[in-house]
Amino acid sequence: MSKIVNFIDLHNGEEDKNKVLENVKSNISFRGSNLWILACAIVVASVGLNVNSTAVIIGAMLISPLMGPIIGAGFGLGIYDFNLLKRSLKNLFIATLASLIVSTTYFFLSPFKELQSELLARTSPNVYDIFIAFFGGLVGVIAITRVEKGNPIPGVAIATALMPPLCTAGYGLALGNFKFFFGAMYLYTINCVFICLATFIIVKFLKYPIAKQLNAKREKHVKYAITLLTLALILPSIFFAYQLFQEKKYKQKVELFLNTEFLDKGYTILYKKTSFISNPKKIDLAFLAKKFDRNEIKALGKKLKNYELNNTVLHIIQDSTNLKQDILNEISFNNKTVSEKDVIINQLKKQISATKFDTNSILAETKILFPDIENIAVSNQTVDDNKPTKKVVTLILYQSKKELNPRDKEKLLLWLKNKFKADAVEIYRRE
């Protein structure tokens, strides 16, 4: 048993604690060359986000010195060194402010302001970002305390991804999109907090000596102040983690509900929006062809409880005009900035255009040829048959007092195929 304990003991290969502290303190300051390196790294990262280049973003993260003051703050908390903590937080603030100024200036001056997936990914943190920041921070501080530093530190800089959220926040400021700004700053804050928390845990575990104070009274005051700061760091962290975990669980339940009640039944979801933070929570949906009556919507609303989607309201948008208006309203809310919904609206326009039929004209022509038909509806449906090219089927739903005879049905089928230039047409009767 002792061999196993010795095998995993973190004290093995540990650097002298005084040397580690000197190294940590030397990497805190953001003056002179460090500030210039940070500014250049921010520009490189902003360009990478602008052109959606993951390789460029990784390169920027490798040269960024942002980890220094965060690690310093964790050490300051762990050894009750108020001066180290104060210096670290001051330099982290300077680094953050400088990064925001540089990234905002870049995106303001850049002629290319299209939203890319790399930018969009930094606007909405999730529970996995907490795991990445915390365990990445653990790896980083363990590497710093080793005699042989090895190669984990560059990997930690990439994994914890401190710079992209800052650049995205600058993008939000440059375009006046505060939703992007606050979302990116929330992700940046989570990364900083959990890296700092991981550092604090390792410092305590390795039993770094507590910083000496001028007198016992001051030492007592410093311990109380830093204990309160530590609690102020840990308690919100637990809340962040719990909230993001609950949101992730909720979204998984929503996906299960949508798959079971709609997608598995062949209904194509055209638009989906989930509001987790509202009270009650809300699921907005719109469908390509399926229309629901009030009783069906009410029944679906009751089924939400079967999926543990409590305190949730289901809202089904039934016509494309309202759907487009909802998306346009959201774009206006985002200060006319390209957002995730803008990508959707372009798809919607194409889909609505492709499925739009003049039913009144079609019905008038159909009644001349087939007087028994009282009403008719036409829509295109995409069939996923696991082939590279999706098959589009034109669906015809007609209403009549009696079924068309086989001969008339065949005539109707051939006429509609020719009219719509469709390869596949299916006809169904509604009584």
Side-chain angles (χ1 to χ4, degrees):
M1 186 66 182
S2 61
K3 288 183 178 180
I4 295 173
V5 173
N6 186 58
F7 188 72
I8 62 173
D9 189 1
L10 273 180
H11 291 285
N12 289 334
E14 186 182 356
E15 175 68 278
D16 178 73
K17 290 181 170 62
N18 290 326
K19 285 186 178 179
V20 173
L21 282 170
E22 286 175 14
N23 183 41
V24 168
K25 290 175 183 178
S26 67
N27 288 321
I28 288 172
S29 178
F30 272 95
R31 287 178 177 82
S33 61
N34 257 8
L35 196 58
W36 278 101
I37 290 170
L38 176 66
C40 293
I42 284 289
V43 172
V44 172
S46 298
V47 172
L49 290 166
N50 210 177
V51 300
N52 215 38
S53 173
T54 305
V56 174
I57 297 167
I58 289 173
M61 288 188 282
L62 283 172
I63 59 177
S64 164
L66 267 173
M67 285 280 287
I70 302 172
I71 297 290
F75 268 87
L77 289 172
I79 64 174
Y80 294 100
D81 189 333
F82 190 74
N83 289 329
L84 175 58
L85 176 63
K86 188 166 67 173
R87 278 183 58 210
S88 298
L89 293 178
K90 178 184 175 182
N91 280 282
L92 180 60
F93 174 76
I94 291 169
T96 302
L97 185 62
S99 299
L100 285 173
I101 291 170
V102 172
S103 59
T104 302
T105 304
Y106 168 80
F107 282 111
F108 183 78
L109 297 175
S110 173
F112 308 108
K113 294 180 172 62
E114 293 84 358
L115 179 67
Q116 305 289 357
S117 61
E118 287 287 352
L119 278 166
L120 190 61
R122 270 79 187 188
T123 60
S124 52
N126 59 57
V127 71
Y128 298 117
D129 292 309
I130 288 177
F131 292 135
I132 292 167
F134 181 74
F135 288 102
L138 284 179
V139 173
V141 70
I142 289 170
I144 287 169
T145 60
R146 303 298 95 189
V147 175
E148 297 292 335
K149 308 298 182 192
N151 62 355
I153 294 176
V156 171
I158 295 168
T160 51
L162 290 165
M163 296 191 66
L166 275 178
C167 296
T168 304
Y171 175 85
L173 283 177
L175 275 71
N177 188 327
F178 292 102
K179 183 179 178 182
F180 271 27
F181 171 75
F182 287 115
M185 287 304 295
Y186 181 33
L187 176 55
Y188 173 71
T189 303
I190 283 175
N191 285 346
C192 291
V193 165
F194 280 91
I195 292 169
C196 185
L197 186 59
T199 304
F200 170 80
I201 290 170
I202 294 298
V203 168
K204 284 296 185 185
F205 182 80
L206 293 177
K207 297 179 181 177
Y208 271 68
I210 292 172
K212 293 180 180 179
Q213 305 297 330
L214 294 174
N215 54 62
K217 187 177 181 181
R218 177 171 170 77
E219 185 175 329
K220 190 176 181 181
H221 287 162
V222 168
K223 281 187 177 180
Y224 281 142
I226 290 188
T227 300
L228 289 173
L229 283 172
T230 305
L231 288 174
L233 176 72
I234 293 172
L235 294 177
S237 302
I238 294 170
F239 175 74
F240 288 154
Y242 176 76
Q243 279 292 99
L244 291 173
F245 178 70
Q246 290 297 108
E247 184 175 356
K248 180 67 178 176
K249 279 179 62 180
Y250 181 80
K251 287 182 177 178
Q252 287 177 336
K253 291 172 184 176
V254 170
E255 289 301 317
L256 178 61
F257 169 70
L258 298 180
N259 287 331
T260 305
E261 300 297 333
F262 304 112
L263 298 180
D264 290 349
K265 295 178 181 179
Y267 304 146
T268 302
I269 297 176
L270 198 62
Y271 172 77
K272 176 184 71 174
K273 182 182 176 184
T274 305
S275 301
F276 176 75
I277 59 173
S278 61
N279 188 21
K281 301 177 184 69
K282 192 176 177 184
I283 302 172
D284 291 326
L285 298 174
F287 295 85
L288 183 62
K290 175 65 178 175
K291 300 291 183 182
F292 296 89
D293 58 36
R294 288 185 180 180
N295 292 332
E296 286 176 316
I297 295 173
K298 190 175 181 181
L300 287 166
K302 289 180 179 178
K303 285 185 179 181
L304 290 171
K305 291 184 179 179
N306 299 338
Y307 298 87
E308 298 181 6
L309 293 169
N310 301 316
N311 192 34
T312 301
V313 175
L314 178 66
H315 177 221
I316 296 179
I317 304 169
Q318 295 280 36
D319 66 272
S320 59
T321 304
N322 289 341
L323 174 59
K324 287 191 288 185
Q325 190 59 49
D326 284 348
I327 298 173
L328 289 171
N329 287 341
E330 179 151 341
I331 292 172
S332 177
F333 175 77
N334 285 335
N335 201 20
K336 297 181 181 179
T337 301
V338 181
S339 69
E340 186 178 17
K341 299 300 180 298
D342 298 326
V343 178
I344 295 173
I345 196 170
N346 288 330
Q347 296 172 347
L348 288 176
K349 285 179 178 178
K350 291 178 182 177
Q351 290 173 342
I352 291 169
S353 176
T355 58
K356 191 175 180 180
F357 295 92
D358 186 355
T359 51
N360 291 330
S361 174
I362 295 168
L363 179 61
E365 291 180 37
T366 306
K367 280 187 171 183
I368 294 170
L369 299 170
F370 306 94
D372 291 337
I373 293 179
E374 298 172 346
N375 207 345
I376 194 167
V378 186
S379 71
N380 284 337
Q381 182 74 39
T382 302
V383 179
D384 188 357
D385 51 4
N386 296 320
K387 292 182 179 179
T389 305
K390 302 295 182 184
K391 182 181 178 182
V392 178
V393 178
T394 302
L395 299 179
I396 311 295
L397 183 66
Y398 73 90
Q399 189 173 7
S400 62
K401 291 180 181 177
K402 62 180 182 178
E403 182 81 40
L404 290 177
N405 62 55
R407 187 178 174 185
D408 285 344
K409 196 170 183 179
E410 181 66 22
K411 282 182 181 179
L412 177 61
L413 182 66
L414 293 172
W415 176 66
L416 291 171
K417 268 189 178 183
N418 182 66
K419 181 175 179 61
F420 300 128
K421 308 300 180 187
D423 294 326
V425 176
E426 294 181 8
I427 299 176
Y428 301 94
R429 175 176 173 258
R430 180 182 176 183
E431 296 181 2

